[in-house]
Amino acid sequence: AQTVTQSQPEMSVQEAETVTLSCTYDTSESDYYLFWYKQPPSRQMILVIRQEAYKQQNATENRFSVNFQKAAKSFSLKISDSQLGDAAMYFCAREGAQKLVFGQGTRLTINP
Amino acid sequence: DAMVIQNPRYQVTQFGKPVTLSCSQTLNHNVMYWYQQKSSQAPKLLFHYYDKDFNNEADTPDNFQSRRPNTSFCFLDIRSPGLGDAAMYLCATSRDGQGPQYFGPGTRLTVL
């Protein structure tokens, strides 16, 4: 089975600091999409950032950026200048066959 | 704003009493998905529609059915809810099955 693995069930960071969430995945495709989604407690799943596998340049969205290593099948999310509103469950996902394969999630806590 | 809407946000039903959850979208996307999400877990795909083509996941119980009468609406029917079906049910859409999925706020189902 093609899987997505998030090895950190929980992470915490001090407000204003930087944190990196890890994700590795398995695929036999050469072109695909990767995503990070954020799900705050009891709130909606929101797309944070996307990466197309054929693009070598790492995606960036304001304070959020990724480190995409295609050969290593690694797709980590870096959050800079962490804010209290960043506290959430973060899911890494890979697109394939019209579906998303999700990782297990990483619960991120922001310490004031 | 274009969006994915789910109704109701909270649904309480009795064991064995059929229930229908609703999803609508104003994004005009071709693909609509239904997920089941239990506490602190990743969403689990139940099935999806590409236009009118229904795609069931192999491990989705027969108790779960879906209808998509038009592009904008999709319904999840649970024919005989059991206690184990208590969960958050998420609807999502995608333009063409590639690229990101956009999620609704979810319906939290309680089974008494």
Side-chain angles (χ1 to χ4, degrees):
Chain A
Q2 299 191 348
T3 58
V4 176
T5 301
Q6 294 178 245
S7 59
Q8 305 150 317
E10 296 184 355
M11 293 278 287
S12 63
V13 64
Q14 290 295 126
E15 193 176 3
E17 297 294 310
T18 295
V19 63
T20 298
L21 309 183
S22 301
C23 174
T24 59
Y25 60 93
D26 183 21
T27 184
S28 56
E29 306 285 334
S30 59
D31 192 19
Y32 47 90
Y33 286 89
L34 296 162
F35 308 98
W36 279 97
Y37 283 89
K38 169 186 177 182
Q39 190 176 36
S42 301
R43 293 185 64 187
Q44 195 161 343
M45 184 90 77
I46 301 167
L47 177 67
V48 174
I49 198 165
R50 74 184 80 177
Q51 176 79 43
E52 296 176 66
Y54 73 89
K55 290 186 177 179
Q56 292 186 334
Q57 186 173 5
N58 289 323
T60 299
E61 289 285 345
N62 300 314
R63 297 182 296 106
F64 299 87
S65 61
V66 300
N67 183 4
F68 174 48
Q69 302 289 330
K70 190 173 184 179
K73 295 181 181 174
S74 170
F75 181 61
S76 61
L77 174 69
K78 185 171 82 170
I79 306 173
S80 303
D81 186 24
S82 298
Q83 300 176 359
L84 295 178
D86 295 333
M89 197 77 163
Y90 285 82
F91 291 100
C92 176
R94 177 187 56 75
E95 171 270 334
Q98 301 178 3
K99 305 175 190 179
L100 290 181
V101 178
F102 285 94
Q104 306 94 317
T106 296
R107 185 176 303 281
L108 179 64
T109 301
I110 312 296
N111 300 313
Chain B
D1 288 340
M3 56 185 6
V4 181
I5 302 162
Q6 291 189 243
N7 286 303
R9 295 292 308 277
Y10 301 91
Q11 176 73 59
V12 179
T13 191
Q14 291 182 332
F15 182 94
K17 186 174 181 181
V19 67
T20 294
L21 309 183
S22 169
C23 177
S24 64
Q25 54 128 345
T26 61
L27 297 161
N28 202 32
H29 282 174
N30 293 317
V31 193
M32 295 186 76
Y33 303 83
W34 279 106
Y35 291 88
Q36 180 191 66
Q37 186 180 30
K38 296 192 174 180
S39 182
S40 299
Q41 296 182 18
K44 177 182 182 297
L45 182 64
L46 296 173
F47 25 59
H48 73 280
Y49 274 94
Y50 195 122
D51 292 331
K52 295 184 178 181
D53 292 332
F54 179 69
N55 299 272
N56 197 29
E57 293 301 297
D59 58 353
T60 298
D62 292 340
N63 196 28
F64 291 87
Q65 304 285 320
S66 187
R67 296 169 283 135
R68 189 179 185 185
N70 54 52
T71 300
S72 300
F73 283 86
C74 196
F75 299 98
L76 169 61
D77 301 308
I78 308 176
R79 294 192 296 185
S80 181
L83 297 179
D85 297 328
M88 180 73 84
Y89 289 87
L90 302 176
C91 175
T93 72
S94 168
R95 183 184 304 278
D96 58 5
Q98 295 180 330
Q101 293 183 18
Y102 297 92
F103 287 80
T107 295
R108 182 167 296 283
L109 177 68
T110 300
V111 181
L112 301 177

